[in-house]
Amino acid sequence: MEPSKRSIDKAAQEMISRMAKLGQQNAWDRLDAQLPQCGFGKQGICCRICSMGPCRISKKASAGVCGADVDTIVARNFLRMIAAGVSAHSDHGRTVAEVFLATAKGDAPDYRLKDTTKLHKLAKELGVQTAGRSTQEIAADVGEIARAEFGKPEGTQLMTRRAPKPRQEIWQKLRVTPRAVDREVTESLHRSTMGVDQDFRNVLLQASRAALADGWGGAMLATELQDVLFGTPYPGRGEVNMGVLKTDEVNIIVHGHEPILSEMIAAAAQDKELLAEAAKVGAKGINVAGTCCTANELLMRHGIPIAGNFLNQELVIATGAIELMAVDVQCVMQGLTEVAKCYHTKLVTTADKGRIAGVEHVSIEEKTALKTAKELIRMAIANFKNRGEVDIPKDKEKVVGGFSFESINYMLGGRFRASFRPLNDNIINGRIRGVAGIVGCTNPKVPQDFTHTTLARELIKRDVLVLTTGCATIACGKQGLANPRTALDLAGPGLREVCEAVGIPPVLTCGSCVDNTRLLVSCCEMVREGGLGEDISELPVAGACLESISEKAIAIGQYFVASGLLVVFGEELLPISGSANVSEYLFRGIEKEFGGHWAVESDPVKAAETILAHIESKRDALGINKAKERKLYDMADRRALAVE
Ligand code: XCC
Ligand code: SF4
């Protein structure tokens, strides 16, 4: 297949061609070898949870051996995906909580509590005494409470109290206020095992509760504690794409998710001794760059360059310029091993829970993290001399990274009156129509970066402020959408005016996938600020994920929906189409209960229309469309806009 059909990223195209020429395989090639993929799996109608199966629903068999009907099977599979997604984010959150606690207790000497202002706020929220106590003491209490959120025997997630009151009441009424994360995951697995929960509605309610334990629990804690540990992000410049790799420096890629590892490598790369060692082997410096979400974490906090998103992980190695790639957890393709073998690149796993057969393992532990990071850098330096021919694409784009909730608040209102008021006002007066979150991965089934960036362009053109996370952020960055200089020209006049006044691009990079909780917190603040209704479900806000790969994305989608938002997902990527009842519930029925719902649309232009229609209907309901005359677009107008 033409490289341009595989990715819209020029640098990626170059590397795809290079790999093809050299006879090396990547995810796209392996996808081709898998085609046609299983139609039962796509629709969510196969079940292999007991050994009377595997069963699949067809014209010939309308039930599994146990009698489970298609609704039960599809709902159960959906719940299991969510449980897996929740467990990934929340295990990440738990690791952060453990390092946080160790830091507070003085057991993790290489880490610091960087944002004590945020620590105090968090302490207050969690009911921890601050007066007359040291930072360490306060942090130790916060850490204990946070860690308990994952496994406490009773009570519900404390962070849910951040949600607007009516939202909390909806959750209580539906009995889905999440309890301990572990409990929700365990119960989800129990309920979806053979012969337990066989009422698809009941199964899907648990899907909401488990997902909420992620969004308002594990993932939210990950973000909050990481901010205290590593610093709350504030906007700063950075660069994205493979052009950030250096021909004359030692290149190290950090790949995966937990900043526990990448922060240490980033810190160690500045070590004078190591820089001198690099110079000795003829390298001008040590260049650390990230891929996937750990890259977002580093860009957000330190402006460290991003080499690419999910589908770039194999391609960066194909530049021949990577001395070492250190990976931790999640979204690390086993395919990396084969690509790394074709080059001098040393692939190293660092998380004991994420090893790869045949790959060297260097375990990162909190007590000795910096020492281990230095060891990894030494391995990279020693490997510099083994470089063969190097082919680094030129492409890179400037981005502004670092839009945390706090920094958006600050940018909008200023240091002395930090506030969401200007955002709310500009939504009310119609300069900004609404806000959309574009999140998610890149999937070889779709041309890489195409849907995220096309959707972002469509939305900003029509005055919708876009917040992005995960690999979608990196996609937008690569296409210049997170750079005020290039992106403001693409924004509609109202949005542009506001962005220029405040000094922000129309697409805000908000971090990694756990940082989707920043979007939830921002929604809470929009409600609290006033003028846009009493609950998240009243806001002219929506989420979209048209290029997902991960169970995590389904969990995120479900907690957005259960928080009251519309979520538009890539059609092929949501395996529920086999059950009309489950589809009907998730697309429509759930809205009556939660105020949010799923929609599927693979065409980004049409997805933009869906989101705009949603935003305008929320504006109508709020009565803020009456104030000003607005141009009513009919379908023909919209299409004309879309092809501009
Ligand atoms: Fe993975 Fe987070 Fe998806 Fe990227 S966006 S492919 S989940 S790295 Ni999170
Ligand atoms: Fe088949 Fe039922 Fe067992 Fe699933 S639980 S594999 S549908 S018998």
Side-chain angles (χ1 to χ4, degrees), residues 256-257 292-293 310 330-331 440-442 470-472 512-513 549-550 552:
H257 279 79
C292 283
C293 277
F310 179 71
Q330 300 170 25
C331 303
C441 320
T442 58
C471 290
S512 65
C513 289
I549 58 147
S550 176
K552 292 177 283 174

Side-chain angles (χ1 to χ4, degrees), residues 72-119:
T72 297
I73 290 175
V74 170
R76 237 168 16 193
N77 287 336
F78 184 73
L79 175 59
R80 287 202 158 202
M81 291 180 82
I82 286 176
V86 175
S87 67
H89 284 150
S90 294
D91 216 25
H92 168 170
R94 188 197 324 258
T95 303
V96 177
E98 283 170 352
V99 173
F100 184 96
L101 193 56
T103 308
K105 290 183 173 164
D107 293 336
D110 303 328
Y111 297 93
R112 299 264 171 288
L113 299 164
K114 283 214 183 112
D115 189 343
T116 48
T117 311
K118 184 149 183 171
L119 172 66

Side-chain angles (χ1 to χ4, degrees), residues 62-252:
S62 62
V65 177
C66 66
D69 63 18
V70 71
D71 301 335
T72 297
I73 290 175
V74 170
R76 237 168 16 193
N77 287 336
F78 184 73
L79 175 59
R80 287 202 158 202
M81 291 180 82
I82 286 176
V86 175
S87 67
H89 284 150
S90 294
D91 216 25
H92 168 170
R94 188 197 324 258
T95 303
V96 177
E98 283 170 352
V99 173
F100 184 96
L101 193 56
T103 308
K105 290 183 173 164
D107 293 336
D110 303 328
Y111 297 93
R112 299 264 171 288
L113 299 164
K114 283 214 183 112
D115 189 343
T116 48
T117 311
K118 184 149 183 171
L119 172 66
H120 276 84
K121 268 199 207 142
L122 203 55
K124 211 170 143 209
E125 230 186 316
L126 297 172
V128 171
Q129 281 296 327
T130 53
R133 303 183 74 203
S134 72
T135 301
Q136 306 305 112
E137 285 170 335
I138 298 168
D141 281 3
V142 168
E144 295 281 5
I145 293 174
R147 195 178 53 170
E149 289 300 279
F150 296 91
K152 62 186 180 186
E154 52 199 26
T156 48
Q157 287 295 309
L158 297 172
M159 290 291 164
T160 56
R161 300 188 303 211
R162 286 184 167 181
K165 277 270 146 4
R167 181 60 22 196
Q168 294 185 42
E169 281 159 21
I170 289 173
W171 293 337
Q172 280 151 16
K173 202 177 107 221
L174 294 166
R175 301 170 65 120
V176 297
T177 311
R179 300 158 298 174
V181 177
D182 293 348
R183 179 163 191 176
E184 297 308 352
V185 173
T186 303
E187 187 171 317
S188 298
L189 293 178
H190 176 200
R191 284 166 73 154
S192 57
T193 198
M194 190 269 148
V196 187
D197 204 352
Q198 292 161 100
D199 173 346
F200 76 92
R201 274 173 204 283
N202 209 39
V203 173
L204 294 172
L205 273 177
Q206 176 58 17
S208 290
R209 180 158 62 175
L212 289 169
D214 183 14
W216 300 85
M220 192 172 276
L221 284 167
T223 297
E224 300 298 302
L225 299 179
Q226 283 175 180
D227 280 358
V228 177
L229 260 180
F230 305 121
T232 303
Y234 277 86
R237 278 174 219 291
E239 287 181 332
V240 175
N241 215 343
M242 283 185 262
V244 305
L245 300 173
K246 304 266 170 66
T247 46
D248 50 4
E249 295 189 18
V250 172
N251 290 306
I252 297 174

Side-chain angles (χ1 to χ4, degrees), residues 294-559:
T294 216
N296 283 318
E297 303 271 7
L298 289 178
L299 171 79
M300 288 284 280
R301 297 197 175 89
H302 308 292
I304 285 173
I306 295 183
N309 47 13
F310 179 71
L311 283 173
N312 288 101
Q313 61 185 281
E314 295 176 300
L315 308 182
V316 290
I317 295 181
T319 62
I322 310 299
E323 272 60 56
L324 181 132
M325 179 184 266
V327 304
D328 57 8
V329 289
Q330 300 170 25
C331 303
V332 178
M333 292 198 219
Q334 191 168 359
L336 287 173
T337 39
E338 287 307 308
V339 187
K341 272 186 209 156
C342 304
Y343 297 88
H344 75 305
T345 305
K346 221 169 180 25
L347 183 63
V348 182
T349 54
T350 62
D352 292 346
K353 61 185 104 170
R355 298 183 65 152
I356 303 175
V359 169
E360 182 164 354
H361 184 69
V362 178
S363 178
I364 279 254
E365 274 156 33
E366 54 208 33
K367 277 204 167 66
T368 50
L370 191 62
K371 193 172 147 261
T372 314
K374 285 184 182 167
E375 212 176 285
L376 290 169
I377 292 182
R378 286 211 167 88
M379 284 166 72
I381 295 172
N383 198 18
F384 186 69
K385 62 173 187 302
N386 300 325
R387 252 194 211 181
E389 181 219 347
V390 163
D391 184 356
I392 302 175
K394 296 268 167 306
D395 311 70
K396 60 179 177 186
E397 272 293 334
K398 290 202 170 21
V399 297
V400 176
F403 291 96
S404 56
F405 161 74
E406 288 81 353
S407 69
I408 298 174
N409 206 24
Y410 169 70
M411 294 296 284
L412 288 170
R415 184 185 288 277
F416 298 107
R417 50 185 177 88
S419 155
F420 264 50
R421 195 67 246 160
L423 176 64
N424 281 30
D425 283 345
N426 281 303
I427 291 175
I428 292 165
N429 70 27
R431 270 194 201 99
I432 297 178
R433 306 309 298 175
V435 179
I438 300 183
V439 315
C441 320
T442 58
N443 186 321
K445 293 179 182 176
V446 187
Q448 183 190 18
D449 301 340
F450 170 71
T451 69
H452 295 314
T453 56
T454 308
L455 178 59
R457 281 201 178 87
E458 288 300 315
L459 290 172
I460 62 174
K461 184 162 75 187
R462 291 183 246 173
D463 296 310
V464 174
L465 178 66
V466 170
L467 272 50
T468 61
T469 60
C471 290
T473 297
I474 304 174
C476 290
K478 284 194 268 182
Q479 300 296 324
L481 293 168
N483 174 0
R485 209 169 278 157
T486 42
L488 279 172
D489 287 339
L490 306 172
L495 177 63
R496 181 179 182 143
E497 195 186 326
V498 177
C499 288
E500 274 172 345
V502 179
I504 53 173
V507 175
L508 304 183
T509 58
C510 298
S512 65
C513 289
V514 292
D515 292 337
N516 278 310
T517 59
R518 299 191 198 278
L519 274 47
L520 293 180
V521 174
S522 299
C523 286
C524 295
E525 189 59 19
M526 286 167 77
V527 172
R528 211 189 57 78
E529 190 55 51
L532 293 174
E534 302 298 318
D535 191 5
I536 297 171
S537 56
E538 290 182 61
L539 295 170
V541 173
C545 176
L546 308 183
E547 269 179 64
S548 97
I549 58 147
S550 176
E551 292 159 317
K552 292 177 283 174
I554 312 252
I556 293 166
Q558 187 69 14
Y559 74 61

Side-chain angles (χ1 to χ4, degrees), residues 47-50 52-55 64-66 68 73 76 194:
C47 180
R48 47 173 194 80
I49 63 173
C50 94
M52 291 186 284
C55 303
V65 177
C66 66
I73 290 175
R76 237 168 16 193
M194 190 269 148

Side-chain angles (χ1 to χ4, degrees), residues 7-27:
S7 177
I8 64 161
D9 167 5
K10 290 268 177 324
Q13 291 171 6
E14 227 179 290
M15 285 303 108
I16 290 168
S17 303
R18 176 174 155 90
M19 289 183 81
K21 228 186 293 151
L22 296 171
Q24 297 159 0
Q25 281 217 327
N26 53 39

